[in-house]
Structure formats: C-alpha cells, structure tokens
Amino acid sequence: MSVTNIAKLFFKPRWKELEHHQQDGERLQREVLKHLLERAKDTEYGRKHVFNGTKDYEGFVHNNPVNTYEELKGDIDRMRQGETDVLWPGRVKWYAKSSGTTNDKSKFIPVSPEGLKYIHYKGGSDVVAIYLRNNPQSRMFDGKGLILGGSHAPNYNLPGSLVGDLSAILIENINPVVNLVRVPSKKTALLSDFELKRDRIAHEAMTKNVTNLSGVPSWMLSVLNRMMEITGKTHLEEVWPNIEVFFHGGVAFTPYREQYEKLITSPRMHYMETYNASEGFFGIQDDPSDKSMLLMLDYDVFYEFQEMGTDIIVPLWGVETGKNYAMLISTSCGLWRYMIGDTIRFTSVNPYKFVISGRTKSFINAFGEELIVDNAEKGLAYACQKTGAIVSEYTAAPVFMDDKAKCRHQWIIEFAKAPADANEFGAILDRKLQEINSDYEAKRYKDITLQPLELIVAREGLFNDWLKSKGKLGGQHKVPRLSNSRDILEELLAMLNER
C-alpha cells in the first residue's frame, strides 16, 4: 500500500463530516458562536461585552460593536507586551504581521494555540482531505510538498514570543511529522532574504521528488522560474515528473494561470484555490469545475456579512446570492466582529459557496465608478484572451479632474508576455470594464467626464523592486491592485526608469 493510500485512511472520516456543510450551515455557525463566547467569557473583552449573559446571535450583536484593527490595536499591543486574558484566554505568544496591506504601518494579528489548531491547521488539513477525495488516483504523499513561507522575528524581546508572516508561524509550529514530507529545510524556509531563500529553495528542491506545491502564486512562480534557470529545463515536469497539484491562495490566480500552464504541461496537474489570511482560514475550492469556494463553517470562526453600500449586517443564514458583502469574523484568536477588509459574493447557499470579489479598501471610486478588483480581474483576463498577452502584476489609481473637469484611471501593468499593441490592450480592457460595471460605463459615457483609461507598461521587475524598497519582498506581500489614492502609483512611476 502506498503512503498516500495510508494517508487517505486518516482523512476519510473528514469526508463524511464535510457533508454537514450542505444543509447544516446555520446549526454549525450557532454552535461556533456559543463555543467562542463560552471560552472568552472571563477575558477582559468578554466581561466588558457581557459574553456570559449572551444567549444568542441577537444578544451578541446588541452587546458588541463592529471592529476594525484600529479599535482593537490597543488591546493587541497590550497582549504583545505580555498581558494575559485580554481578547482571548491566557497569553498569546504569536502575532502574524499582516500581509493584507503594503502600507508602512503593519498590523499584528494574534494567533492563539486554538487558532493555530482549529483554524489554520484545520484548514490546511481540509485542503488535503478534499483534494484526496476528488482525486482518488493521487500519489501526493509518495513524494514531498514544496511549501513557501516567510520569516519571523522576536516580539518586543519577550521570551518565546515572535511576530512574522503567518506562513512562518505555521512552519515554526508544524507537527514534526509533516517535515518528513516537505521541502525546503526549516532553516531555509524561514530565511528573511527572499532572493537568497529563492536560490536555496531551488537548489534544495530540484533533486527531490516533489509532488505538490503550496504558496502564493507570484512568489512560487519566482522560485520555479529560478529553478528552471538553474536546471536549464523548459517544463517543471522535467524536474519533477510526479508533480500533480498546486494549492494556492493569497492573490487571484487568474493573472498567473497561463504562465503556470506554460511552465507545467502535464495533463495530470491540478490547481486548487484556498482563502487563507493572517486572520484565519475561510474557504476551499471543493469542486475543480467550479471556481467558487466552500465556506468552512465548523472552524473557530463565526461569520457575519455587511452588504456593501449599506449598514445592513447579517449572519450566514441571512445572506443572499449575487450580492457583494464585506466579511466580519469572530475567532479564537481574539478578533471580535472584526472587519477583515475583503468582500465576497455568494454563488450558492446550499452549500454556502462564494468567490472573493475584492477588498473594502482596494477599489477605485473617485468619480462614482465603484470599480472593484473582481471587475479588474475579469477585464484583464478578457484583454489577455483577445491579445495573447500575459499579465504578471498591475495596479491602478485615478488621475483626478483637471481644469476641464476631465479625469481618467491610470494603470501600470507588468507583462510576462506583452501585447503587440499596448494601446489596443488598454482599449479592450476599457471596453470590457464598461460592459461588466454599469457605474463605470455611466461615467465613461461619451468620454464626457471619465476619459479612456491610460495604460503604462512597466519594466520587468518593477513591482518586485517596489516591494523590496518597502522591505516586503517575499512572503505573502503584494501591491494593492486598486486604490483611490495615487501614493503607490506615484512611487512606482518614480521607479519606472530606474535600474
């Protein structure tokens, strides 16, 4: 019996449990809320917000405000200083330095032992369980997994307390058994210098029987391309003939799919999206034919959803398909009614399945156009399809009104394969955005106010150079795709001709 077949015996009971996500979503979520309130009732936050007297969801809403990081950061900083029983019972030693922003000011998300076990690791385990269920011929455990991670550093010099990328925290605390089936070495995985780490990973992994990949598409592609340079090979299966799956998350896969399909031509290759963040693990693509993800309902995460553009907040059992919602979470890491910053759209409610539609703060609405990341991704995919181009990275921001009341959107795009005519690419993108976003279309009407978008082709490596200048090269860091502010775009423009 192969190692993978033995592993299936461990994962098989979970297949049955996941069936409860089909019809029992409300029950599962009510049980999660009850459990979280009971565990945290004697914390400082729990006493202040009457957790002990809260009997149901309605009481929870009545006694607890919606929070952003700003509201909780004072309590989180006290926890980082070593205080106990603040937002979650006991002392929390680990803090994920948020990769959801590229601002200089970082967020530090508490990661409790319960959060590690019942959110993050449970999510990782379920990804494998669902993949093995969907692919009975898999042999992934007969080889090794290449898992990319970030780095960590001491937290206020407190003994045993560290801050860093969530991926580094997961690697640092992982079950030692898992290290038998993963590469690179822990020492290499936790290096802070991404360029050095990329080189070492390539050298360590190229001689191993790697069957599966886990990481952020952009950084994984950088590692794989480096390995192709070292080995002189053209396709990844020439190095790893048994490669079969890439578990990816962190950024949308659409801009990278064509590059991966050119690099990996094996018909046995699979791609599986996950929705995991510093704040928690929330969704898994459970059906290879469906791009939406299954919302994971029996972790230590209680969900709420705010309908975009309104003050209406509903629990899971109040959502509707087709609407854009900002997601709020309450977790065993001490985040309470926390606005995570992502927006999602449900595609189904039996079971609860969704797609990520954007960020609450990653959009352009300078002129009432309400352009969200979901629109941008679809527009770029269409323009690539029509022109044969491949987009590596991009960002966009408004050019505000001039003295003639004219304005436009400015896009900087780094291409892995440039279009023959960049102006044509921009025109196709502009037309597609009008087609899929009625607000954008209205503002673009006859070029009266919002002019055609301006496309600037970036030199190779521009986005990586920008991230490096911010000390954010590697890990899960990324450039915001859309912004109402021109700050980031102006910095990129200033670096455009540097080398």
Side-chain angles (χ1 to χ4, degrees), residues 372-442:
I372 61 175
V373 172
D374 186 55
N375 302 151
E377 297 287 351
K378 288 178 179 175
L380 287 168
Y382 181 78
C384 286
Q385 176 192 333
K386 290 297 182 181
T387 64
I390 303 174
V391 172
S392 290
E393 300 287 351
Y394 72 92
T395 193
V399 175
F400 295 100
M401 290 184 179
D402 58 21
D403 55 4
K404 296 180 181 179
K406 302 293 186 182
C407 53
R408 65 186 184 279
H409 288 178
Q410 198 171 44
W411 292 66
I412 298 182
I413 301 180
E414 185 177 328
F415 290 98
K417 178 184 177 185
D421 185 339
N423 290 329
E424 179 193 18
F425 185 96
I428 294 171
L429 172 59
D430 190 67
R431 289 195 297 271
K432 191 63 176 178
L433 293 177
Q434 293 179 62
E435 180 185 321
I436 60 183
N437 183 319
S438 59
D439 290 319
Y440 183 81
E441 180 184 38

